Amino acid sequence: MKRKLFVGVMILCLVVFVSAMRSDLAYGSRKFVSIASGWVVGVYFPLAGALSRIAHEKLPDIKITVESSGASVANAKLIASGDADLAILQNDIAFYALQGTKPMFDKAVPNIRGVAALYPEACHIHARKDAKIASVRDLKGKKVAVGPLGSGTEQNAIQILEAYGLKFEDLSKVERLSAAESADYLKDGRIDAAFYTVGVGASAIVDPALMIETLIVPIDGAEADALVKKYPFYAKDRIPAGIYKGIGDVPTVAVLAILVAKAEMEEDMVYRITKAMWENISRIETAHAKGKEVKLEKALIGMPIPLHPGADKFYKEKGLKK
Ligand code: GLU
């Protein structure tokens, strides 16, 4: 009896040991890839989450972990330091990163490589109706959130104000809040307006528009023309009516969101992630309304930096590139 019990316990121990070893092996052989995304109330974050789920289902040896961040400028710096393997950021900021454009970058980010152009990000200036801001010029003397620290939004705010002859010093208060905070501040009247360069339909703008009366300040006319001429990454765009409660069709300018990788990532890994993303694009489409605009045929349009060799291989195979 004692002997049988002993043998039983030994077998049980062996089973536990072997299964622990196996899961340890599976864990050990998995490669961790981090993606720097953006604001939880933005669009990068849900799309990066969708990419992570695609990897989980289709690439069992790769685990993509999603980090939220201030966004574009911070993400380019995470690529430079090697702390992020992949990132989503604005195409204007990716170009400035590669060049090392000051004051955003004190040094160039030579290892930033393109994977895919994703969708347009509209420059929104979301204002309280009671702040009576009909034109960008009316921001003079107002309390304004100019974008989170490390955002691309802040750079766009500087350039847009400049096109209207304004500087941060002309505002009565310059706030650098997270996108979620600035939405709250706008609701509470602690700020009059907030800048967001983000895919149309981001909850940072949808939510306050449901609670208080707001408008989006147009960026158009000669000022928009001058802006697009001076900074060619901007394209003229419109925010359609019906996206934000009480807000009609508004002219503005937009840049592009792009997916990038650090040059040091293995070619095969970037190739497989690129392929898995495009082959499972329905995951991206359902993660956020903007995901429906992510299209393979537009993957290389507006890409301002050299492609990662893994992505390059995929697009050549697809005949998108020679
Ligand atoms: N384009 C934004 C920025 O870099 C981030 C938008 C997002 O997180 O979706 O400022």
Side-chain angles (χ1 to χ4, degrees), residues 37-39 42-45 70-73 90 119 121 151-153 197-199:
S37 67
W39 319 329
V43 180
Y44 298 176
F45 191 72
S72 298
V73 175
Q90 295 174 199
Y119 60 88
E121 297 191 82
S151 64
T153 298
T197 302
V198 70

Side-chain angles (χ1 to χ4, degrees), residues 43-88:
V43 180
Y44 298 176
F45 191 72
L47 294 195
L51 188 61
S52 164
R53 282 192 294 281
I54 291 172
H56 182 72
E57 283 167 21
K58 307 289 174 187
L59 308 169
D61 58 324
I62 298 175
K63 178 160 177 56
I64 298 184
T65 54
V66 181
E67 318 287 344
S68 75
S69 74
S72 298
V73 175
N75 291 356
K77 290 181 180 169
L78 288 169
I79 290 281
S81 65
D83 291 317
D85 301 304
L86 299 171
I88 305 181

Side-chain angles (χ1 to χ4, degrees), residues 29 31 33 55 58-62 64 86 115 261-277 308-315 317:
S29 62
K31 296 206 171 106
V33 170
K58 307 289 174 187
L59 308 169
D61 58 324
I62 298 175
I64 298 184
L86 299 171
V115 175
K262 65 176 181 194
E264 297 81 359
M265 266 185 95
E266 284 166 35
E267 176 177 332
D268 187 56
M269 188 178 287
V270 176
Y271 169 79
R272 289 172 58 220
I273 292 173
T274 310
K275 186 169 154 72
M277 179 178 97
H308 189 284
D312 190 71
K313 181 177 163 198
F314 175 78
Y315 296 120
E317 258 175 35

